[in-house]
Amino acid sequence: MDSCKVADELEELLREASQVFSDYVRSSRDPQALVIPRIDKLDLNIPEKDGMGAAGVWDDIQTICGAATNTWSERFLYKLYASPTPIGVVGEALVGLLNNNAHVFQASPIGALIEDKVGRQLAELAKFPVDTAAGLTFPGGSYSNMHALMVARNRRFPELKRGGFTGAMAGSEWRRPMIFTSAHAHYSIEKAAVAAGIGLDNVVSVPTDAAGRMDSRALRALVEQAVADGGAPFFVNATAGTTVLGAFDPIDEIAVVCADHGLWLHVDGSWGGPLALFSSDEELGRYRVDRADSFTVNPHKLMGVPLQCSFLLMRDGLNPMREALGLGASYLFHGGSPNVLDDVGDATMGCGRRPDAIKLWLAWRYHGTLYYQRRLAAARRLALDFADMISERPPTALGCWRLVAAPQSTCVCFWFVPGQPNLVPLPAWGNATRLLCARLNSLGHVLVDYATVDLPAGPLPTFFRLPLNSPHVTKETLASILAAVEQTAQALVDEDPRCFLMDSS
């Protein structure tokens, strides 16, 4: 196929795609659109000989769109992401069109330049030193967190890079590497510890305060106890926006402990990180991350960039990553250039890299910084307004509303308590949440989630957790969901008056 025919085929496909995709978004935004469509028949077979061609493929694409979870609906309040912005879709298509590999400069020069610029811009917003800080993209926050841990491990225990744990443990001075993270931290920290050979037994879970924030005094005591017991603490993970409560750990207090004991401080801001980057001056004190050694932020969550787009920002730049992880494979990484952008793939645990920074850069250029400041401020205001709606909503004949805690970011957690709270056992609160959530989601018009956490006073009964992300969500949207919960409760009680008292776990 000559070049003109390739371009003509692409033009024809994109023309059709433009119509199909825009029609899909238009129908998905309809107030009556299902969030969880019902999948009827879907032909997944691969043609053994000739393909189906354009006509058959567009039928398939429309079928997939009709069966996919509808993240474009304002009633998709299930996980920590929502629909992308339209320019984000264009950026995703652009990355696919270029098909560049961002592991060496020559393979993706424009991708490398954009990644460098965006990484430094994000680091500057995080108040990292502008003369050293830099950032790289990874396929998700879990991989960003894992790379931060691997760099910290190999910096503290450089012998592990070559000799591994077998060689290191043969030395007379060997002490067990230990990491510390909040009891409410994302499980990726524990998975990273497994991948790094640290082991789950050497991950110390630090209790939280009543608001779900890491207890810095408990952290200090646990670090000192670990040292006294012969361990070698080296890494602390703080969280900027925990997965469930959206809590922000007291990073300044944690940084003091890390400085006193020579520990690497990583901040996992996969969810709440953009609040630390784009908040107003009066909110900035709540969300500061500037004392961290490394910082994860996922623009594919609160910033509306398409999945996946995650940045790991490094206070001291990329050289610590190269020293800790690089192997300098000569068949790929030729080196010898003063360009700091050469061979960035050698600073990672992988090889092939999508130039995902292009998606964020294009969206940032399109919208401007003010857009993100306003978007995040609006999400924060909506979370506070929603918390007030729950606290002030009058009880019904079937029950009443209770807020779990005042929102610290844009996650709002609450119960619909069947009956009178002082007369209903706590397990029934959680049972009601699970039943209501399951029935609501089964109808397909909303998609919401539930969770639970342990606090110093004990485990909380299961509660609704709604992350407010999409700018399409309004107070009217949230009021309609509360009303839907009440209507669903009535329907369940009509079917079985004792349903909330029975265990549904």
Side-chain angles (χ1 to χ4, degrees):
M1 184 180 291
D2 63 37
S3 59
C4 289
K5 288 184 178 179
V6 170
D8 290 344
E9 181 184 1
L10 180 61
E11 181 180 13
E12 182 181 344
L13 289 169
L14 289 178
R15 185 184 301 115
E16 184 72 19
S18 173
Q19 189 62 57
V20 171
F21 292 177
S22 58
D23 286 349
Y24 168 69
V25 173
R26 194 171 291 111
S27 63
S28 297
R29 297 282 300 122
D30 187 283
Q32 301 306 312
L34 292 176
V35 182
I36 313 177
R38 294 175 177 84
I39 299 177
D40 296 320
K41 281 192 174 181
L42 184 62
D43 182 4
L44 301 177
N45 293 315
I46 305 297
E48 294 183 4
K49 295 184 178 179
D50 291 339
M52 302 174 66
V57 164
W58 288 117
D59 288 341
D60 285 346
I61 289 173
Q62 289 176 326
T63 299
I64 290 170
C65 289
T69 299
N70 179 8
T71 62
W72 290 89
S73 171
E74 69 273 15
R75 288 168 281 110
F76 175 83
L77 295 164
Y78 185 56
K79 299 298 182 184
L80 302 180
Y81 61 92
S83 63
T85 59
I87 190 63
V89 177
V90 174
E92 183 69 45
L94 176 60
V95 172
L97 172 70
L98 298 176
N99 202 35
N100 281 190
N101 193 335
H103 56 347
V104 298
F105 184 82
Q106 288 82 0
S108 181
I110 189 61
L113 292 167
I114 286 174
E115 183 173 34
D116 177 64
K117 173 60 180 176
V118 175
R120 292 182 184 277
Q121 193 79 32
L122 292 171
E124 183 176 346
L125 289 174
K127 302 295 189 294
F128 279 14
V130 295
D131 57 334
T132 60
L136 288 180
T137 59
F138 289 93
S142 294
Y143 284 93
S144 292
N145 291 339
M146 183 185 75
H147 277 78
L149 177 61
M150 293 294 290
V151 173
R153 187 201 72 167
N154 286 3
R155 171 174 274 198
R156 173 63 177 78
F157 306 99
E159 64 273 21
L160 293 179
K161 184 176 179 180
R162 180 164 295 277
F165 282 97
T166 302
M169 292 171 66
S172 59
E173 300 299 320
W174 175 252
R175 301 171 72 190
R176 286 190 304 132
M178 301 181 70
I179 72 175
F180 298 77
T181 189
S182 160
H184 291 187
H186 192 263
Y187 74 94
S188 63
I189 303 301
E190 292 175 301
K191 290 221 171 190
V194 172
I198 304 299
L200 294 177
D201 288 347
N202 296 311
V203 179
V204 179
S205 179
V206 183
T208 72
D209 61 18
R213 305 160 73 242
M214 183 192 290
D215 185 335
S216 61
R217 289 175 296 183
L219 171 65
R220 181 179 292 277
L222 288 167
V223 168
E224 292 173 352
Q225 185 61 52
V227 173
D229 291 343
F234 73 98
F235 181 91
V236 173
N237 173 71
T239 306
T242 55
T243 304
V244 176
L245 296 180
F248 271 69
D249 288 340
I251 294 170
D252 277 350
E253 297 174 15
I254 294 169
V256 173
V257 178
C258 291
D260 289 348
H261 292 274
L263 311 179
W264 183 287
L265 173 56
H266 175 66
V267 175
D268 177 11
S270 296
W271 167 238
L275 290 168
L277 303 178
F278 294 98
S279 289
S280 61
D281 290 340
E282 57 267 25
E283 287 270 358
L284 193 58
R286 176 197 299 269
Y287 302 129
R288 284 181 56 186
V289 296
D290 56 293
R291 299 184 66 179
D293 295 294
S294 52
F295 175 48
T296 293
V297 59
N298 285 359
H300 68 238
K301 292 183 177 176
L302 280 171
M303 295 176 69
V305 176
L307 287 159
Q308 294 175 321
C309 184
S310 177
F311 263 90
L312 174 61
L313 307 180
M314 302 290 290
R315 165 179 289 277
D316 295 330
L318 303 186
N319 282 337
M321 299 182 72
R322 288 190 174 94
E323 293 167 5
L325 306 176
L327 298 178
S330 60
Y331 63 87
L332 180 62
F333 305 121
H334 301 316
S337 169
N339 191 339
V340 72
L341 303 181
D342 278 352
D343 300 346
V344 295
D346 202 28
T348 76
M349 292 294 293
C351 181
R353 304 179 64 245
R354 293 183 89 237
D356 284 325
I358 291 175
K359 296 186 291 188
L360 176 55
W361 175 83
L362 190 66
W364 206 340
R365 293 268 290 185
Y366 182 86
H367 289 297
T369 301
L370 190 58
Y371 165 82
Y372 292 112
Q373 292 172 341
R374 289 172 173 167
R375 175 176 173 140
L376 291 161
R380 176 74 179 134
R381 283 196 304 271
L382 186 61
L384 297 174
D385 289 342
F386 188 34
D388 289 341
M389 290 168 59
I390 293 166
S391 298
E392 298 167 4
R393 193 171 180 86
T396 72
L398 292 178
C400 60
W401 298 88
R402 287 291 183 272
L403 195 65
V404 173
Q408 297 178 48
S409 55
T410 64
C411 281
V412 183
C413 302
F414 57 92
W415 293 281
F416 180 76
V417 184
Q420 299 181 36
N422 59 330
L423 300 178
V424 177
L426 288 181
W429 295 31
N431 188 51
T433 301
R434 291 187 292 272
L435 284 172
L436 289 166
C437 194
R439 177 62 64 88
L440 272 171
N441 290 345
S442 72
L443 300 175
H445 295 288
V446 301
L447 186 55
V448 293
D449 204 2
Y450 60 80
T452 187
V453 293
D454 290 347
L455 291 176
L460 294 179
T462 303
F463 49 80
F464 286 98
R465 183 214 59 173
L466 269 62
L468 303 182
N469 182 341
S470 169
H472 305 307
V473 178
T474 65
K475 286 194 282 188
E476 289 72 24
T477 305
L478 299 172
S480 71
I481 288 176
L482 296 182
V485 172
E486 293 170 345
Q487 294 161 8
T488 303
Q490 184 64 65
L492 288 169
V493 169
D494 288 345
E495 295 171 10
D496 181 355
R498 293 182 54 80
C499 64
F500 294 135
L501 300 178
M502 295 182 290
D503 187 6
S504 66
S505 59

